């Protein structure tokens, strides 16, 4: 029997009306072909059976009494092929008009977006917590967006979009023009904060279609409909400049790839699927913009501030490691390996599971943990040593065989030469699991060479970071590491910094066209313009 308020445990009434979002196409609400429902993240910890049953019941019968259950917080309409195509057509119709809006007016959108984020930050955080993001993680996501849309970052982007040079009787313009229609596919693990990058794509002058992930659509719909769409209206954007659909991923992506109206597809997902998708895009004449897996390294040198380095290492456990930009591997100088591991173990003692709204909780539930235990078992069988963790845990932190959380887990691997034969070193794990690789003792110059070679040989390339005091070591590292889209020295690995790219990388992280990702630049193309007066064509050609 499907649970209803009469059969489910008693709960206080819902504090606010059920959020209900139709599709947004050409500035209008459009009906879909059904609904998907969001239940609170807390409910999945209290009574997962009831939560899942409620969703299934409502998707079969939206008028069911289950809609009044306090676990149910919102619903989003689901698009079929007709609605997906309608959204693309609306974007194509709006694109020329929006591209003609002056750049400075479009740039104002970014400033206004930051103001609205600040004004509505409590609701922003609440939407993330509803979708099971721990509050501490939600605050990090908000802080990242505030840096991406800071005055300094927006000013830097503005300068890249348009520069003028006076040279004699010529006015030379180097500018970037919008690509046209950009389709945006946020990931399931961080849909709302990723979808916010669409604002930068809009600022470049593109019209946008966003697919809110079907399994977790509510926060994305809220952000784009309640914040971004009104700001576009305020800016006088044509209807259809922003369109938001919630649909099946394969169906939606297939429609985008085959559509002659789509110019770019911004895809966030796993590397294997993403690289296949890249080839499909190129074959159909689309620009693929990929944000794929990360397998980042932290390097800790012998003179590092070990307390702060240990803090950076524990960033691996944000959201239980289910974030592409957290560190995935530590490479530590053998002279300080024991001291670093001791500090990391001390810090992990304060990292705990709990309800997502609790301020000091950092871990998220991990529903499919078989791969975690397979990676850990392979590492231990090959000779790695378990430093801490390695078990499931209950909501209160009690180790158990049935808990939905995983303990923060650290393993030590001695020897650098064979380190990448371990799957948990070679691949992104997406779990609260980090290997610490300790090379054999050797002269510092030799160790530094091997550290840099190891980082550069990583087939992924999102972020890398170094902890060291020596100017010589820092200069060598910065001068020679070419892998990745971002390099941090003596700084938070996951922290956001104004002006620097927040996303983007090389190799398995960004594909054949991978680099640091400024969405305004990646969804536009460079154009040179020369405006002359009083110059004969022959003089222009021959310089006489």
């Amino acid at each position: 029997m499907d649970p209803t308020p009469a059969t489910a445990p008693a709960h206080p009434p819902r504090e606010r009306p059920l959020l209900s979002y139709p599709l947004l196409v050409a500035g209008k609400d459009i009906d879909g072909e059904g609904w998907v429902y969001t239940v609170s993240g807390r409910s999945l910890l209290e009574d997962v059976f009831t939560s899942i049953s409620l969703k299934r019941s409502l998707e079969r019968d939206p008028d069911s009494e289950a809609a009044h259950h306090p676990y149910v917080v919102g619903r989003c309409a689901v698009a079929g092929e007709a609605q997906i195509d309608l959204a693309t057509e609306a974007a194509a119709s709006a694109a020329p008009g929006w591209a003609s809006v002056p750049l400075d007016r479009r740039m104002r959108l970014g400033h206004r977006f930051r103001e609205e984020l600040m004004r509505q930050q409590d609701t922003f955080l609440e939407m993330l917590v509803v979708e099971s993001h721990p509050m501490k993680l939600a605050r990090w996501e908000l802080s990242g967006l505030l840096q991406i849309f800071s005055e300094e970052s927006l000013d830097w982007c503005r300068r890249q979009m348009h520069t003028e040079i006076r040279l004699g009787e010529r006015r030379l313009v180097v500018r970037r023009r919008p690509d046209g229609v950009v389709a945006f596919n946020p990931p399931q693990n961080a849909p709302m904060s990723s979808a916010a990058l669409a604002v930068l794509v809009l600022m470049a002058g593109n019209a946008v279609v966003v697919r809110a992930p079907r399994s977790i659509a509510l926060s994305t719909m809220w952000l784009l409909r309640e914040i971004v769409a009104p700001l576009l209206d305020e800016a006088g954007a044509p209807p259809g400049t922003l369109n938001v659909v919630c649909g099946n991923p394969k169906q939606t992506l297939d429609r985008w790839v085959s559509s002659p109206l789509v110019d770019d597809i911004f895809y966030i997902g796993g590397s294997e699927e993403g690289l296949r998708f890249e080839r499909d895009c190129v074959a159909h004449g689309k620009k693929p913009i990929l944000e794929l897996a990360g397998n980042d390294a932290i390097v800790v040198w012998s003179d590092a501030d070990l307390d702060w380095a240990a803090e950076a290492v524990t960033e691996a456990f944000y959201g239980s490691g289910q974030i592409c930009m957290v560190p995935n591997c530590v490479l530590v100088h053998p002279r300080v390996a024991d001291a670093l591991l001791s500090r990391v173990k001390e810090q992990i003692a304060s990292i705990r599971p709990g309800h997502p709204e609790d301020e000091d909780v950092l871990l998220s539930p991990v529903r499919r943990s078989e791969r975690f235990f397979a990676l850990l078992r392979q590492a231990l069988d090959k000779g790695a040593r378990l430093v801490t963790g390695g078990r499931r845990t209950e909501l209160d932190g009690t180790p158990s065989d049935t808990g939905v959380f995983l303990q923060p887990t650290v393993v030590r691997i001695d020897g650098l030469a064979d380190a990448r034969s371990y799957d948990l070193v070679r691949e992104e794990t997406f779990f609260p699991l980090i290997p610490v690789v300790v090379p054999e003792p050797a002269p510092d110059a030799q160790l530094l060479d091997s550290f840099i070679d190891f980082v550069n040989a990583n087939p992924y390339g999102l972020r890398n970071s170094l902890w060291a005091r020596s100017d010589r070591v820092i200069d060598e590292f910065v001068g020679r590491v070419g892998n990745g889209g971002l390099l941090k020295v003596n700084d938070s690995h996951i922290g956001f910094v104004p002006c620097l790219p927040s996303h983007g990388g090389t190799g398995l992280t960004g594909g054949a066209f991978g680099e640091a990702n400024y969405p305004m630049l990646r969804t536009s193309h460079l154009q040179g313009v020369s405006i002359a007066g009083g110059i004969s064509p022959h003089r222009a050609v021959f310089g006489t």
Side-chain angles (χ1 to χ4, degrees):
M1 178 184 296
D2 292 325
T4 66
T7 60
H11 290 275
R14 185 187 297 117
E15 294 182 0
R16 61 169 60 187
L18 181 76
L19 293 173
S20 182
Y21 291 123
L23 309 172
L24 178 65
V25 178
K28 299 178 181 178
D29 290 340
I30 300 293
D31 291 336
E33 298 183 351
W35 298 91
V36 289
Y37 287 79
T38 297
V39 296
S40 68
R42 184 184 184 96
S43 75
L44 293 169
L45 298 175
E46 291 178 343
D47 189 346
V48 65
F49 175 77
T50 297
S51 298
I52 294 172
S53 297
L54 282 166
K55 286 168 64 76
R56 291 173 178 169
S57 173
L58 287 165
E59 286 168 15
R60 286 195 302 269
D61 179 12
D63 296 323
S64 164
E65 283 296 311
H68 302 289
H69 197 287
Y71 278 174
V72 182
V73 294
R75 67 178 187 172
C76 299
V78 179
E81 289 186 355
Q83 293 88 6
I84 294 167
D85 292 345
L86 192 64
T88 304
E89 292 162 8
S93 178
W98 179 239
S100 70
V101 170
L103 175 61
D104 284 336
R105 202 163 111 205
R106 300 198 311 263
M107 291 298 302
R108 178 65 182 156
L109 181 66
H111 297 281
R112 289 288 291 116
F113 180 66
R114 188 180 196 278
E115 291 171 2
E116 283 301 300
L117 275 182
M118 292 289 290
R119 188 177 72 83
Q120 300 192 49
Q121 62 179 299
D122 289 345
T123 308
F124 179 93
L125 295 172
E126 180 185 344
M127 295 301 297
L128 287 173
V129 168
V130 158
E131 293 181 342
S132 296
H133 292 227
M135 180 61 79
K136 198 169 185 178
L137 176 63
R139 293 192 187 283
W140 167 70
E141 293 176 71
L142 175 62
S143 71
L145 289 178
L146 295 178
Q147 295 290 2
I148 292 169
F149 289 93
S150 68
E151 295 290 331
E152 298 86 352
S153 297
L154 295 178
D155 180 63
W156 186 91
C157 287
R158 170 65 178 81
R159 294 197 304 272
Q160 307 309 307
M161 292 294 292
H162 190 104
T163 302
E164 295 197 13
I165 304 164
R166 285 285 182 176
L167 189 62
E169 296 173 318
R170 289 188 179 92
R171 179 162 65 98
L172 306 180
V173 180
V174 179
R175 65 183 184 179
R176 301 194 69 88
R177 304 295 292 164
D179 287 343
V181 173
V182 178
F184 197 103
N185 183 68
Q188 294 187 71
N189 64 314
M192 180 166 67
S193 54
S194 297
L197 300 179
V199 176
L200 296 165
V201 178
L202 290 162
M203 290 164 58
N206 299 289
V208 176
V209 182
V210 179
R211 183 191 78 86
R214 179 169 175 152
S215 62
I216 186 167
L218 190 66
S219 66
T220 300
M221 281 287 190
W222 173 83
L223 180 84
L224 297 177
R225 293 182 56 105
E226 303 289 355
I227 295 185
V228 181
L231 293 179
L232 285 169
D233 290 342
E234 179 184 294
T241 300
L242 172 66
N243 307 274
V244 191
V245 298
C246 169
N248 175 278
K250 185 179 188 308
Q251 180 188 47
T252 307
L253 292 169
D254 285 349
R255 302 301 293 179
W256 288 347
V257 169
S258 64
S259 172
L261 302 178
V262 173
D263 297 288
D264 302 354
I265 303 180
F266 200 130
Y267 177 93
I268 305 180
S271 289
E272 186 175 347
E273 302 86 353
L275 295 177
R276 282 198 302 266
F277 183 72
E278 177 184 53
R279 293 191 292 271
D280 202 15
C281 283
V282 172
H284 285 81
K286 315 293 181 195
K287 181 196 285 186
I289 302 165
L290 305 181
E291 287 290 339
L292 308 179
N295 192 18
D296 296 359
I298 291 182
V299 174
V300 181
W301 198 246
S302 59
D303 62 349
D305 184 312
L306 295 182
D307 290 326
W308 285 357
E311 284 185 21
V313 171
T314 59
E315 291 175 350
F317 306 117
Y318 270 62
S320 291
Q322 298 174 106
I323 304 168
C324 63
M325 62 183 63
V326 300
N328 276 262
C329 178
V330 180
L331 190 58
V332 59
H333 195 291
R335 283 205 296 273
V336 296
D338 291 338
L340 177 70
L341 285 166
S342 176
R343 286 168 170 80
V344 168
K345 190 172 180 179
E346 289 174 6
Q347 294 212 17
I348 285 175
S350 65
I351 298 174
R352 67 176 186 84
H355 290 111
E357 64 269 23
D358 295 345
E359 285 286 349
D360 59 345
V361 166
L362 196 57
L363 299 177
S364 302
V366 180
R367 300 293 169 186
R368 297 178 180 175
S369 55
E370 297 83 5
R371 177 66 176 159
F372 168 86
F373 289 104
L375 290 165
L376 181 58
R377 186 164 52 251
Q378 187 224 38
L380 298 179
D381 288 347
K382 283 176 63 65
R385 285 183 278 166
L386 181 65
V387 176
T388 188
R391 294 192 63 185
R392 292 186 179 92
T393 180
E394 298 291 346
L395 181 66
D396 62 1
T398 304
S400 96
D401 294 330
T402 58
V404 296
F405 294 90
L406 294 173
Q407 292 178 332
T409 301
V410 180
V411 298
R412 173 173 177 153
I413 297 172
D414 287 293
L416 183 61
D418 196 40
R420 283 209 171 97
S421 68
Y422 291 78
D423 289 347
L424 82 172
V425 175
R426 186 176 63 254
E427 304 169 5
E428 182 193 50
T429 64
F430 230 57
F431 294 115
L433 170 64
I434 192 162
V436 177
V437 179
V438 184
E440 302 86 348
D444 277 359
Q446 181 180 332
L447 279 172
L448 184 57
D449 284 343
S450 64
F451 280 23
I452 292 171
D453 289 345
F454 185 86
V455 171
N456 280 330
N458 186 358
Y460 299 82
L462 184 54
R463 298 180 173 210
N464 293 300
S465 60
L466 168 71
W467 287 88
R469 288 190 174 96
S470 165
D471 290 339
R472 181 186 65 81
V473 170
I474 293 171
D475 290 346
E476 281 283 305
F477 198 83
V478 172
R480 293 169 57 190
V481 169
N483 192 21
L486 189 65
L487 175 59
K488 307 287 285 293
V489 178
N490 297 327
D491 201 349
S492 161
H493 189 91
I494 64 172
F496 295 86
V497 181
C499 302
L500 294 186
S502 59
H503 294 69
T506 55
L508 296 177
T509 295
F513 308 100
E515 60 175 327
N517 188 354
Y518 293 95
M520 283 191 74
L521 308 187
R522 293 293 300 279
T523 59
S524 59
H525 52 275
L526 199 64
Q527 186 183 72
V529 180
S530 173
I531 303 171
I535 299 177
S536 76
H538 284 182
R539 178 184 168 194
V541 171
F542 297 108
T544 59

